[in-house]
Amino acid sequence: MPRHDLHSTRDRLRQGLSSAGDELGAAKAAAHSGACTHVFLKTRFDAAAGEAQGAAPDAPLAGLPVSIKDLFDFAGDVTTGGSVALVAAAPASADAPSVARLRAAGGVVVGRTNMSEFAFSGVGINPHYGTPPNPCDTKTPRIPGGSSSGAAVSVATGASFIGLGSDTGGSIRIPAALCGIVGFKNTARLTQLEGAYPLSTTLDTVCAMTRSVRDAVLAHEILAARQIARADKPLSAYRLAVAQTQMLDGLDATVARAFERALATLRATGARIDEIPLAQIQDLGAIQSTGGFAAAESYAWHRQLLAKEGTRYDPRVRMRIERGANMKAWEYIDLHRTRAAWIAAVEQALAGYDAVLSPTVPMVAPAIAELAPGAPRDEAFFRTNALLLRNPSVVNMLDGCALSLPCQSPDELPVGLMLWHGALHDDTILNLSLQVEKLLSSALPN
């Protein structure tokens, strides 16, 4: 991963050690390198050069490059959602509010990033435009995670400082964990969904990936148009929990080792960490047994397009969307009612705790070849997709907030540590994550 995050790069700009033009040139070189194969569906570095030159040096993003997931409108561009079914759609007449806020803060959009088609997968494979290889391994092409696959790789390779994306069941935190960067999913209501194709209007969240937690704080403050309440409490002042139900099941050796090492490091510096059952998590399967929000709500949006262009969809995506056609109205209404009761039960179980600690996903990134399109690999694909979504999707159902940050050693493949809680605990999660990131970084060997 590039050495400098957005904050340190802004310091370099102020000191005259770099310029917005220099940083854009470095981003362009990264975007055109082999590490960014299949990352961008479209770039605009020529236009970005003029914007970077005209950016105010004291603006929050100071003319530095950002990328936008192909889910978001950018004035004059066609938003395709990572699909070929919409390539003939009309160009957007205006920027999505999230894009507009990044640009107003001095961010320079360098391109539209690849993604799982219509954001319906945590794996990151795209059969239409290719799959961006995870930069963590230069020998074996590994999945980047999805659905915000290109956004993650753009940040991890240095092609952007902020990768704008979305998170419906983990689509920010999964690729952040697998690519070794930071992904923050805020409480959904804090950011605007307008100007982005929906997957689930109930669960969708607009958020971003960055190279550090302090950059995640800045990105959130821009996207949500709010400042977080800073807290300067010691780690020992927080009460933390580890959820035992489901979240720790079937961890591969690298993830298990990194997670236990992270907990040991935090406990050694005074953290109070309790292991709690949080048995309510096991109820999610029954709650969603009639389908779930994503299938029903995506089908409501896609049904007319499917009738016209359904043969052009990724078959794996189309199958998941079409499941929504079978949900009855009473089942959908019951799902909302049951979810509200479940949220209340989980919040009661977490009363008194400031955050829950979990592995973001239970595995390191598998090889692309194991999950590439094709019937022989479909079973492995759906099994992997379910495992990747398992932990982060709990937070979406909770209407909560969560941050994934790297916790692996330098000789290990990336592993994400997820800090999470219910709705509107965003400031606590961000403040705590700043401390955790610093402690884990200082504990790693040089």
Side-chain angles (χ1 to χ4, degrees):
M1 192 168 78
R3 184 176 59 174
H4 295 292
D5 67 356
L6 195 152
H7 275 73
S8 62
T9 301
R10 288 193 311 176
D11 290 342
R12 287 168 52 79
L13 298 185
R14 295 188 189 102
Q15 297 165 18
L17 300 176
S18 185
S19 68
D22 292 339
E23 297 301 327
L24 185 65
K28 182 178 181 180
H32 290 159
S33 71
C36 273
T37 302
H38 305 309
V39 166
F40 287 96
L41 301 185
K42 181 178 181 180
T43 58
R44 56 183 303 274
F45 283 99
D46 290 343
E51 295 171 8
Q53 187 175 16
D58 58 347
L61 300 184
L64 295 174
V66 301
S67 67
I68 59 172
K69 184 178 184 176
D70 190 39
L71 200 71
F72 295 89
D73 285 347
F74 186 83
D77 276 5
V78 174
T79 307
T80 70
S83 178
V84 295
L86 287 173
V87 292
S93 59
D95 292 348
S98 51
V99 175
R101 286 180 176 177
L102 289 173
R103 299 182 79 186
V108 173
V109 175
V110 296
R112 307 178 67 83
T113 52
N114 199 356
M115 55 183 284
S116 303
E117 186 181 46
F118 294 121
F120 215 156
S121 161
V123 178
I125 285 175
N126 187 303
H128 310 300
Y129 301 111
T131 299
N134 193 319
C136 73
D137 190 342
T138 57
K139 295 180 180 179
T140 301
R142 297 178 180 272
I143 65 166
S147 64
S148 308
S149 54
V153 180
S154 76
V155 172
T157 58
S160 69
F161 285 92
I162 294 175
L164 177 66
S166 63
D167 191 308
T168 304
S171 287
I172 283 284
R173 290 159 290 152
I174 294 168
L178 296 185
C179 291
I181 57 176
V182 172
F184 177 57
K185 179 243 180 286
N186 50 265
T187 303
R189 73 195 76 162
L190 296 181
T191 47
Q192 295 178 272
L193 294 172
E194 291 80 2
Y197 290 141
L199 174 56
S200 166
T201 51
T202 297
L203 304 176
D204 290 346
T205 307
V206 172
C207 40
M209 285 172 282
T210 57
R211 300 178 195 171
S212 66
V213 175
R214 62 181 181 174
D215 286 0
V217 172
L218 177 60
H220 173 66
E221 290 182 332
I222 292 168
L223 293 172
R226 62 181 291 268
Q227 286 197 323
I228 74 162
R230 302 291 180 129
D232 191 24
K233 299 192 300 184
L235 188 62
S236 59
Y238 293 93
R239 190 177 176 204
L240 309 177
V242 172
Q244 295 174 307
T245 302
Q246 179 178 290
M247 293 280 192
L248 306 180
D249 293 348
L251 304 183
D252 73 21
T254 302
V255 174
R257 183 170 58 246
F259 183 65
E260 288 303 320
R261 186 172 57 237
L263 295 182
T265 298
L266 298 180
R267 285 187 169 116
T269 52
R272 297 181 298 158
I273 305 175
D274 298 332
E275 295 186 355
I276 63 173
L278 202 59
Q280 292 84 356
I281 292 176
Q282 68 189 3
D283 298 333
L284 282 176
I287 290 171
Q288 300 178 91
S289 62
T290 57
F293 291 112
E297 292 172 348
S298 65
Y299 183 75
W301 191 91
H302 282 274
R303 66 188 187 281
Q304 293 180 338
L305 185 61
L306 279 168
K308 297 177 181 178
E309 303 286 352
T311 58
R312 305 182 75 185
Y313 278 54
D314 175 353
R316 291 167 170 173
V317 170
R318 178 178 179 174
M319 180 177 68
R320 297 182 75 195
I321 293 173
E322 289 181 333
R323 286 174 180 165
N326 298 320
M327 182 178 282
K328 299 176 178 64
W330 66 265
E331 291 174 330
Y332 180 73
I333 293 169
D334 270 4
L335 180 59
H336 275 283
R337 177 184 55 78
T338 308
R339 180 200 185 205
W342 181 82
I343 289 173
V346 174
E347 288 180 341
Q348 183 177 5
L350 295 181
Y353 289 102
D354 296 292
V356 185
L357 305 175
S358 306
T360 309
V361 295
M363 67 183 76
V364 296
I368 292 174
E370 298 172 7
L371 309 172
R377 292 173 292 275
D378 283 349
E379 182 179 350
F381 172 88
F382 286 114
R383 182 174 62 251
T384 301
N385 187 57
L387 284 171
L388 290 172
L389 291 165
R390 187 192 70 191
N391 288 7
S393 65
V394 170
V395 181
N396 298 81
M397 281 296 286
L398 185 60
D399 189 26
C401 53
L403 185 140
S404 178
L405 58 85
C407 66
Q408 75 279 354
S409 291
D411 60 342
E412 295 172 329
L413 290 170
V415 176
L417 172 67
M418 185 168 67
L419 296 84
W420 59 278
H421 208 299
L424 302 179
H425 287 256
D426 303 69
D427 294 7
T428 299
I429 293 297
L430 288 168
N431 279 302
L432 180 58
S433 295
L434 287 166
Q435 291 199 49
V436 170
E437 178 187 52
K438 183 177 180 180
L439 289 169
L440 296 185
S441 297
S442 63
L444 292 176
N446 295 323

